[in-house]
Amino acid sequence: MNDMTRKTTSEEMAIKQYLHSYLDKKKDETTLNNMLRELGEYYDGDRAYIFEADLHRRLFNNTYEWCRDGVSSEIDNLQNISIDGMECWFEAFEEHSEFYISSLSDDFVPGSKTYQILAPQGIESCMASPITVNDEVVGFLGIDNPRQHTDSLLLLSIAASTCYSEIASERMVREKEREANVDKERIFNALGGIYASMYFIDIKNNSFRELTAISQVKNLIDAFTDPQECLDFFATKLVLPEAVDEMLEFVDLKTLGERMGENKILTKEFKSTIFQGCDGNEHDWRQICFIDAGRDESGMLTAVLFATQSIHDAKLKEIETKEKLESANKAKTNFLFNMSHDIRTPMNAIIGFRDLLEKHQEDPEKRQDYLDKIKSANDVLLSIINNVLEMTRIEQAEVELDEVAGSVEQYADGVYSMFIEMMNAKDIEFVTELEVEHEYSFCDITKSREVAINLLSNAYKYTNPGGKVTLRIDELPNEREGWLYYRTTVTDNGIGMSEEFLPHIFEEFSREYSMTDAKVEGTGLGMPIVKKLVDVLGGTVEIESKKGVGTMVTVVLPHRIASEEDCFEIDERAINPELLRGRRILLAEDNDLNAEIAMEILGEAGLEIDRAANGRECIDMLLAAPAYHYNLILMDIQMPVMNGYEAAVSIRKLPDRARAGIPIVAMTANAFEEDRREALRCGMDGHLAKPINVKAVLVEISRILRNEGRN
């Protein structure tokens, strides 16, 4: 256990001052005036005041006042104020609540009584706390136009609970001690909500007295008169044996002043031997603290408050959070360890086959083989990166649904076509089965497809040659009218998983087999991504697996029923070489290598390309060229000087409609759905993700140019 210290706040300093004042019992006729001045300065108000109540006549009278420099006194004008005119104030006071007006003009209409009382005084805001005796409101303490600490009325409340003894002391000398004790009790009752036991220790005179205590502590230390003996007993009897020496050192009054230094509070956590935790644990987590309650002229500590409180619930949460962080860090460490080989494998392939390609340029068969293997390794590497990015995006709650009408048959065919060649190449039998009543439904195609791709990728990776993978989609009834469930089942007879690993299947970075074990690339993020996406889509996912037998994953997702008409859209994906030839493209790209690749690819399609290095340069080139010179802008997003989003917004605001209306397509590594939405929001006409897919780029340019019909 480590000592913990912290600087006191100005509020704690003020509370300490009042506590010390009461404990010393040294008061004089200037006490109330000093209190009002300190409260006014603490809350940075214009006036601090006390009103006393004449309950028989139902009147309030302003009896004490402090004004900041330059603020006029109002005490003479605030006599015999009707309680009925301050009814909302008095109702709050009777409920032992503070009254706070943050804005007079917003909270009260001009004709209200409160407004009529406060507005002539130039009061826009105020706070007040009731002064009570025996649960009866006898007045209130208030601040006009407070500018600081308005979020905490604790000091005002404590001051209000103490000041009546000063009022009474000037009128009833005989009851002065009794009133002081009543107010002192209120102070410690207020602090009792934080600390279960409190003792005032007079270090200088070697004495202490109880302020408040719970029975378990009180019964143990009532017999002591020497504060150090009491604290030593506390350290040896209330603390676990292994922590006794450390606790004895903490409660040593001889070294306390040196250890506290200029700090006002010194705290320590420990497990108690006499309290049982709320969780049934044998020992309760508690905290003790020393609070500075007085120093002499030389700065030596002369008095402290010794207080204890339970921190069991908070400590358990802290321990739980720490354990979760440690578990997460361990998982990430394991992930990096497992993935390092997976990343190096495709990287080594890319580098190695590139070197071989350089040596065998003249051998067409080897050249093509090396290029195919480089592309395959690149796809693996990109898949790993995409999985990591996708998991990060989902964890940051950036996932949004984009539901459109579609055909489940076309969806199944599309997924099948993505995997059939891979399956055939590995000699895996790949079968699809479709059994639905409603072919058309609304769904987020991208996320649903991503779920299926992850499931089929795992089935492919963990099924040996000669095995079988089945994708089955069938329909289940839905209790909601106009809705259905599609159940997607992916079954394989691959290597399977152990019963021990199944409970961890959805944990991030979790893998039963490393690359070395199974000769399979992966990050341990595929199934966590599936689980999170299925949750977003409102569905369920279940897994059955047996080692050496195979795996079956079942996903059930709800969908609104659609019609064929809902799915109809014009096919614009054909590339038109004649439409592309001679068209002028303005490419905004800051990366030289990316720009070179894009210009080479687009140039081969017959397009003429000019390049701008950032968004600002793109706008300048657009303005410098004749109207309609450029047919389209391909806009990177992350660029210096001005990014792509800012450039698109600026272009759309140009006064020249010929330039302001030019088609703009984002071509960026910001590849998520949310990035596409942001591009469209900024006025762009399309969004293409890097790495560049040549066909996708030419299809998108053809689509836009066809729609524009521009020369």
Side-chain angles (χ1 to χ4, degrees):
M1 295 184 286
N2 298 319
D3 294 354
M4 296 187 297
T5 61
R6 66 178 177 87
K7 298 282 186 180
T8 184
T9 64
S10 57
E11 189 171 59
E12 290 169 337
M13 293 176 65
I15 292 173
K16 192 245 346 180
Q17 181 177 345
Y18 289 124
L19 292 173
H20 191 54
S21 173
Y22 273 99
L23 294 168
D24 281 351
K25 299 185 177 65
K26 295 178 181 179
K27 308 180 182 70
D28 56 38
E29 61 183 6
T30 65
T31 298
L32 288 173
N33 293 329
N34 288 337
M35 179 190 71
L36 292 177
R37 174 181 55 78
E38 291 170 1
L39 286 172
E41 291 175 352
Y42 175 76
Y43 287 106
D44 195 16
D46 289 344
R47 294 176 68 243
Y49 44 82
I50 293 173
F51 277 71
E52 294 182 52
D54 184 342
L55 298 179
H56 295 291
R57 300 168 60 198
R58 293 191 62 76
L59 297 173
F60 276 130
N61 293 293
N62 189 182
T63 52
Y64 299 90
E65 177 191 62
W66 168 87
C67 299
R68 75 157 62 232
D69 293 340
V71 176
S72 301
S73 171
E74 294 287 347
I75 193 168
D76 294 335
N77 302 324
L78 297 173
Q79 304 300 315
N80 299 321
I81 304 299
S82 172
I83 289 178
D84 295 332
M86 304 176 69
E87 186 174 357
C88 57
W89 299 50
F90 198 71
E91 288 177 354
F93 295 159
E94 286 187 318
E95 295 178 359
H96 302 287
S97 298
E98 284 71 36
F99 187 80
Y100 178 52
I101 300 175
S102 60
S103 173
L104 180 65
S105 56
D106 291 340
D107 297 343
F108 293 89
V109 297
S112 65
K113 293 179 180 179
T114 296
Y115 190 97
Q116 292 174 352
I117 293 172
L118 300 183
Q121 303 176 54
I123 299 172
E124 177 59 21
S125 63
C126 67
M127 57 173 62
S129 184
I131 302 172
T132 60
V133 174
N134 297 327
D135 290 331
E136 185 175 51
V137 178
V138 297
F140 66 90
L141 174 63
I143 308 290
D144 284 343
N145 297 326
R147 301 172 181 83
Q148 298 288 333
H149 308 296
T150 57
D151 58 339
S152 176
L153 304 183
L154 177 59
L155 178 58
L156 188 68
S157 174
I158 292 178
S161 70
T162 62
C163 68
Y164 184 75
S165 63
E166 304 304 324
I167 300 172
S169 69
E170 296 183 5
R171 298 180 179 183
M172 299 176 288
V173 176
R174 293 178 183 178
E175 296 186 4
K176 180 178 180 181
E177 184 66 27
R178 183 182 66 83
E179 295 293 344
N181 289 335
V182 169
D183 289 340
K184 180 183 73 171
E185 182 179 351
R186 288 178 180 158
I187 294 174
F188 295 124
N189 283 341
L191 293 176
I194 302 174
Y195 299 109
S197 300
M198 290 188 296
Y199 292 83
F200 176 75
I201 299 177
D202 187 336
I203 299 176
K204 183 177 180 181
N205 297 310
N206 196 38
S207 65
F208 76 100
R209 63 176 180 271
E210 173 194 309
L211 301 177
T212 181
I214 55 178
S215 59
Q216 293 99 319
V217 176
K218 180 180 176 67
N219 295 337
L220 288 172
I221 62 179
D222 263 358
F224 291 93
T225 57
D226 183 277
Q228 189 61 67
E229 290 181 2
C230 175
L231 292 172
D232 289 347
F233 179 82
F234 179 94
T236 55
K237 299 299 183 182
L238 276 68
V239 180
L240 294 179
E242 60 268 23
V244 167
D245 291 342
E246 203 172 333
M247 185 61 75
L248 284 171
E249 182 180 344
F250 179 78
V251 299
D252 186 358
L253 294 177
K254 293 180 181 179
T255 62
L256 181 59
E258 180 181 352
R259 286 183 286 120
M260 289 188 73
E262 295 182 358
N263 297 302
K264 301 301 180 182
I265 296 180
L266 191 67
T267 65
K268 189 172 190 63
E269 298 174 356
F270 68 98
K271 275 190 174 182
S272 170
T273 58
I274 65 169
F275 298 98
Q276 186 179 58
C278 59
D279 57 347
N281 193 292
E282 177 180 4
H283 305 298
D284 179 38
W285 277 100
R286 304 190 74 79
Q287 184 185 73
I288 60 172
C289 68
F290 288 107
I291 304 174
D292 184 346
R295 295 176 183 262
D296 60 20
E297 294 180 356
S298 66
M300 182 176 294
L301 190 67
T302 59
V304 291
L305 281 178
F306 175 72
T308 69
Q309 64 174 326
S310 174
I311 58 168
H312 194 70
D313 290 344
K315 189 64 179 179
L316 291 181
K317 290 180 180 178
E318 177 188 329
I319 293 172
E320 181 182 1
T321 300
K322 182 179 179 181
E323 289 175 349
K324 287 181 178 179
L325 288 174
E326 289 176 351
S327 176
N329 287 334
K330 182 179 179 181
K332 289 180 181 179
T333 299
N334 291 337
F335 155 71
L336 291 174
F337 178 80
N338 289 330
M339 201 177 76
S340 62
H341 190 281
D342 294 356
I343 290 178
R344 289 177 182 274
T345 298
M347 285 296 297
N348 288 338
I350 292 171
I351 295 170
F353 286 120
R354 184 264 174 202
D355 292 341
L356 290 172
L357 179 63
E358 189 173 32
K359 295 178 181 178
H360 299 280
Q361 287 285 346
E362 305 304 321
D363 187 332
E365 185 176 344
K366 286 186 177 181
R367 184 173 65 239
Q368 187 59 49
D369 180 51
Y370 297 152
L371 288 172
D372 290 342
K373 289 176 178 176
I374 288 173
K375 183 180 183 301
S376 176
N378 178 74
D379 291 341
V380 170
L381 185 59
L382 186 60
S383 173
I384 294 172
I385 294 171
N386 283 340
N387 270 346
V388 175
L389 293 177
E390 177 69 10
M391 199 69 210
T392 302
R393 183 174 66 98
I394 295 173
E395 287 181 338
Q396 293 174 349
E398 295 179 359
V399 178
E400 298 180 13
L401 292 182
D402 183 20
E403 293 188 332
V404 296
S407 163
V408 67
E409 184 175 348
Q410 292 180 3
Y411 165 80
D413 288 343
V415 173
Y416 177 82
S417 65
M418 292 177 64
F419 283 89
I420 184 59
E421 291 187 12
M422 297 168 53
M423 299 288 188
N424 288 340
K426 195 177 176 182
D427 192 25
I428 295 174
E429 181 184 357
F430 184 30
V431 177
T432 60
E433 300 173 357
L434 184 65
E435 186 177 340
V436 298
E437 179 183 351
H438 300 89
E439 180 183 346
Y440 303 100
S441 66
F442 290 94
C443 72
D444 189 316
I445 299 293
T446 302
K447 294 178 180 60
S448 298
R449 184 185 295 119
E450 189 170 352
V451 169
I453 289 173
N454 273 289
L455 297 181
L456 288 170
S457 293
N458 280 345
Y460 167 79
K461 287 188 291 186
Y462 295 106
T463 299
N464 294 321
K468 181 179 180 180
V469 173
T470 301
L471 169 65
R472 175 178 173 79
I473 302 176
D474 58 356
E475 182 178 333
L476 301 177
N478 192 314
E479 61 276 8
R480 285 189 293 176
E481 185 177 354
W483 286 73
L484 57 80
Y485 287 109
Y486 284 146
R487 177 173 60 189
T488 301
T489 306
V490 175
T491 308
D492 67 65
N493 58 356
I495 62 177
M497 291 171 282
S498 66
E499 292 183 5
E500 293 77 18
F501 179 72
L502 279 179
H504 306 284
I505 187 67
F506 296 124
E507 294 176 6
E508 298 169 20
F509 314 116
S510 177
R511 298 178 63 187
E512 182 170 22
Y513 305 103
S514 67
M515 170 63 178
T516 304
D517 295 332
K519 301 286 189 288
V520 174
E521 303 91 351
T523 61
L525 290 175
M527 291 309 296
I529 289 174
V530 167
K531 180 65 168 68
K532 290 183 182 294
L533 286 175
V534 168
D535 288 344
V536 169
L537 294 168
T540 61
V541 55
E542 297 179 354
I543 300 179
E544 299 176 29
S545 187
K546 187 172 182 180
K547 204 163 188 176
V549 176
T551 301
M552 181 174 72
V553 184
T554 303
V555 173
V556 178
L557 297 176
H559 301 277
R560 284 188 298 127
I561 298 173
S563 65
E564 185 175 2
E565 290 73 20
D566 293 325
C567 306
F568 179 75
E569 62 180 37
I570 299 174
D571 182 15
E572 297 178 324
R573 299 194 61 80
I575 300 173
N576 188 336
E578 293 300 322
L579 184 64
L580 298 178
R581 189 172 294 111
R583 295 297 191 270
R584 290 179 289 273
I585 305 296
L586 178 53
L587 172 66
E589 171 61 72
D590 65 309
N591 185 279
D592 292 338
L593 181 59
N594 289 343
E596 181 180 351
I597 293 172
M599 294 174 72
E600 184 69 24
I601 290 173
L602 297 175
E604 290 181 354
L607 295 162
E608 298 178 7
I609 314 298
D610 289 334
R611 178 204 174 188
N614 57 66
R616 179 72 264 169
E617 187 175 323
C618 175
I619 296 174
D620 292 342
M621 292 177 65
L622 179 64
L623 293 174
Y628 298 111
H629 176 76
Y630 292 112
N631 299 99
L632 182 142
I633 296 176
L634 289 176
M635 185 77 75
D636 187 22
I637 299 301
Q638 295 185 7
M639 296 183 292
V641 183
M642 178 184 286
N643 67 42
Y645 293 141
E646 295 168 339
V649 171
S650 298
I651 290 171
R652 294 301 183 228
K653 291 181 179 180
L654 292 174
D656 180 1
R657 292 186 61 186
R659 293 179 173 85
I662 186 171
I664 305 174
V665 176
M667 192 165 71
T668 170
N670 297 353
F672 295 122
E673 175 63 21
E674 290 73 18
D675 303 313
R676 185 187 70 83
R677 291 177 182 272
E678 181 64 15
L680 298 180
R681 190 189 67 79
C682 291
M684 299 192 196
D685 301 275
H687 178 276
L688 294 167
K690 295 178 182 176
I692 294 175
N693 181 308
V694 179
K695 182 178 179 181
V697 173
L698 297 180
V699 164
E700 184 70 359
I701 294 175
S702 297
R703 179 187 70 82
I704 291 177
L705 293 181
R706 185 184 299 110
N707 288 343
E708 289 294 315
R710 298 175 64 173
N711 296 319

